[in-house]
Amino acid sequence: MANVIVIGAQWGDEGKGKITDLLSRSADVVVRYQGGVNAGHTVVVADQTFKLHLIPSGILYPNTHCMIGSGTVIDPKVLIEELDTLQNLGVKTDNLFISEAAHVTMPYHRLIDQASEERRGDHKIGTTGRGIGPTYADKSERTGIRMLDILDPDGLQKQLRWTVNYKNDILDKLYGLPSLDPDQVIQEYQGYADRLRPYVVDCSLKLYAAYQERRNILFEGAQGTLLDLDHGTYPYVTSSNPVAGGACVGTGVGPTMIDRVIGVAKAYTTRVGEGPFPTELKDEMGAALCERGAEFGTTTGRRRRCGWFDAVIGRYAVRINGLDCLAVTKLDILDSLAEIKVCVAYDIDGQLSKDFPTNARQFARCTPVYETLPGWQQSTIHCRTLEDLPSQALSYLKFLAEAVEVPIAIISLGAERDQTIIVEDPIHGPKRALLHANASNGCPPNSQMSKGLGSGDG
Ligand code: GDP
Ligand code: IMO
Ligand code: MG
């Protein structure tokens, strides 16, 4: 049995959906622990593409239980649309469970998110406009509405009448927006409650039972490390904790129940929304990566900003999440390049540093220090083993593994399930913490990875 957390090691959209789907094959339970419908996780199976916002990427396996944990925020309208879409595509959804403690996104959250972004002007965060920040703010302010609240018609009436009037004051006095009708909101959410009632349970209790039965639990992160509220590029972050530590808080399981943490990173970097991004390419190369990588947001359709791989944030993600290994995705997008750059350090006001500065002002002043590696200029989409990869692609991956100081266990070369090289079993293979003492570069000494990547350049 192994309980595994999958996190995004960059600014989101790393391909967590694909990797979670892949690992879900051997999972009994897949659980989302934070975020809401700001997330967009794509899973491609043969000619079908599934875009999941709240439902865990394990849903495509009929016997896998999927949970939406207490640390998430749930927009019931979007969740019901997602359920309908899956059901229409013939996907079984009766193995879905929703935490009764998860907070609910209300219409005023969406309105306040969008209005406050407009009010910020040049200082806007570039949110998805899905009401995520205001829903989490209400949770902290203790005026939030939880799933269990919407299931209690009388309680919901009282609670919502007060809250909608309170929010109407904010909508009107702060933003000059029209008021919401409390009765309409109550009626709308009672409808959602009727539809979602069968799915709502105490997820923490169910997860503990699964743990005691020695089931495999997979924790699916949304967003990414650099979007973490506490550890990301604040204030250009989301309002939850995508880092591995968030998995325990957001599901109600203890840290001793976690066996592995897997980070997902693209072979380059993307970011959607505002905020500093040292390796961003604002030239034709950035445009080419965007085009080849089809880098447009799954949730908002916005163009993603593109840049070279940043090993400084990679090392930071390894540290903050305690990563055991990395899954590197979208290697194929680099296939045609003659040269590829990797940021190995930052120049901050004339000082070189390999450490991510948590001071946002300092981070905004970082200039990347690059190493240039040769490209391979041939297609990798059909590669299925390390031996199939061009030697320059192997060298590139080895360079990344050494630069971020963690082994690469999975390489993805296309959106489909089989467009993957499993270098080292990320769940049952040797654990990094144990290997670290004997492996100066963090690569497992006996793994196929160190054999494969080591050959050719000693
Ligand atoms: P997530 O939010 O981390 O799950 O990532 P998204 O689904 O938002 O974005 C990743 C995009 O890249 C999706 O369209 C995936 O289908 C696609 N993708 C994932 N892995 C690969 C890969 O190795 N190669 C290519 N070409 N596309 C990939
Ligand atoms: P997945 O799970 C990429 C970004 C937004 C914005 C910031 C805050 O698909 O990787 P929010 O609406 O959360 O208040 O916006 O966070 N953002 C994401 N970027 N992938 C995501 O999710 C994101 N979810 C939020 O663009 O910059
Ligand atoms: Mg996404």
Side-chain angles (χ1 to χ4, degrees), residues 305-443:
R305 301 153 65 192
C306 296
W308 297 121
F309 188 89
D310 185 338
V312 179
I313 68 165
R315 285 175 72 239
Y316 180 64
V318 170
R319 169 160 67 89
I320 291 292
N321 297 290
L323 294 187
D324 289 299
C325 61
L326 212 57
V328 175
T329 61
K330 300 191 105 164
L331 186 74
D332 54 302
I333 303 305
L334 305 180
D335 279 352
S336 63
L337 303 184
E339 284 186 336
I340 305 167
K341 290 186 182 177
V342 176
C343 167
V344 291
Y346 294 148
D347 180 330
I348 313 175
D349 306 327
Q351 299 269 356
L352 282 196
S353 175
K354 284 176 83 179
D355 291 319
F356 171 80
T358 38
N359 178 331
R361 285 205 190 93
Q362 237 184 12
F363 186 60
R365 293 201 304 278
C366 285
T367 314
V369 177
Y370 287 117
E371 291 237 4
T372 304
L373 286 92
W376 42 95
Q377 296 188 285
Q378 55 184 290
S379 173
T380 56
I381 59 172
H382 299 295
C383 297
R384 295 293 176 269
T385 66
L386 286 181
E387 289 70 31
D388 295 340
L389 282 174
S391 65
Q392 297 91 334
L394 271 176
S395 301
Y396 179 70
L397 291 165
K398 184 171 164 41
F399 187 89
L400 297 191
E402 286 179 2
V404 301
E405 298 172 16
V406 83
I408 295 171
I410 299 174
I411 302 159
S412 170
L413 321 118
E416 296 206 22
R417 278 178 177 166
D418 71 331
Q419 291 183 299
T420 311
I421 300 174
I422 306 288
V423 182
E424 173 75 69
D425 181 339
I427 297 176
H428 303 102
K431 200 168 157 55
R432 171 185 179 255
L434 301 176
L435 290 160
H436 207 54
N438 337 340
S440 60
N441 64 2
C443 279

Side-chain angles (χ1 to χ4, degrees), residues 90-308:
V91 176
K92 188 169 158 239
T93 56
D94 48 356
N95 278 343
L96 178 72
F97 302 93
I98 302 168
S99 168
E100 56 189 7
H103 280 246
V104 179
T105 297
M106 307 298 297
Y108 45 80
H109 291 136
R110 282 189 295 268
L111 292 170
I112 292 172
D113 187 6
Q114 290 156 18
S116 73
E117 278 283 273
E118 215 174 297
R119 176 69 67 89
R120 282 170 189 264
D122 289 345
H123 301 287
K124 72 171 194 265
I125 293 161
T127 72
T128 57
R130 300 293 194 266
I132 304 300
T135 312
Y136 278 114
D138 275 6
K139 176 178 178 174
S140 300
E141 204 200 1
R142 291 152 296 174
T143 49
I145 312 263
R146 294 161 300 169
M147 285 305 295
L148 61 90
D149 299 321
I150 71 164
L151 296 187
D152 163 23
D154 293 337
L156 183 68
Q157 286 251 8
K158 280 193 209 118
Q159 207 181 353
L160 264 188
R161 214 166 284 288
W162 183 87
T163 313
V164 173
N165 284 326
Y166 170 56
K167 297 293 176 181
N168 276 342
D169 263 356
I170 295 172
L171 290 173
D172 172 31
K173 297 193 173 111
L174 206 56
Y175 300 114
L177 289 172
S179 292
L180 293 164
D181 175 358
D183 288 319
Q184 220 174 323
V185 178
I186 292 165
Q187 205 188 358
E188 182 185 343
Y189 277 72
Q190 275 175 348
Y192 299 147
D194 291 342
R195 174 77 192 273
L196 295 177
R197 191 181 303 276
Y199 299 99
V200 181
V201 297
D202 179 340
C203 277
S204 166
L205 196 63
K206 264 193 101 55
L207 277 173
Y208 196 61
Y211 172 74
Q212 286 180 313
E213 287 164 17
R214 303 185 65 76
R215 306 267 178 220
N216 298 306
I217 305 168
L218 192 56
F219 299 80
E220 178 180 5
Q223 289 81 52
T225 304
L226 277 299
L227 287 173
D228 186 274
L229 181 60
D230 290 85
H231 304 287
T233 47
Y234 191 89
Y236 300 101
V237 293
T238 191
S239 299
S240 66
N241 291 111
V243 297
C248 291
V249 181
T251 55
V253 308
T256 52
M257 285 163 61
I258 307 296
D259 299 295
R260 292 290 164 112
V261 186
I262 301 172
V264 185
K266 274 179 193 162
Y268 50 99
T269 311
T270 64
R271 171 165 207 174
V272 58
E274 305 300 317
F277 176 4
T279 63
E280 181 172 14
L281 292 162
K282 293 182 177 163
D283 55 8
E284 298 101 68
M285 181 56 76
L289 285 176
C290 179
E291 195 194 321
R292 269 181 233 143
E295 296 294 356
F296 295 92
T298 311
T299 299
T300 58
R302 286 179 296 173
R303 189 187 176 89
R304 296 173 183 150
R305 301 153 65 192
C306 296
W308 297 121

Side-chain angles (χ1 to χ4, degrees), residues 12-17 38-42 52 223 296-299 304:
D13 299 326
E14 298 90 347
K16 298 175 294 293
N38 48 351
H41 297 180
T42 315
L52 300 160
Q223 289 81 52
F296 295 92
T298 311
T299 299
R304 296 173 183 150

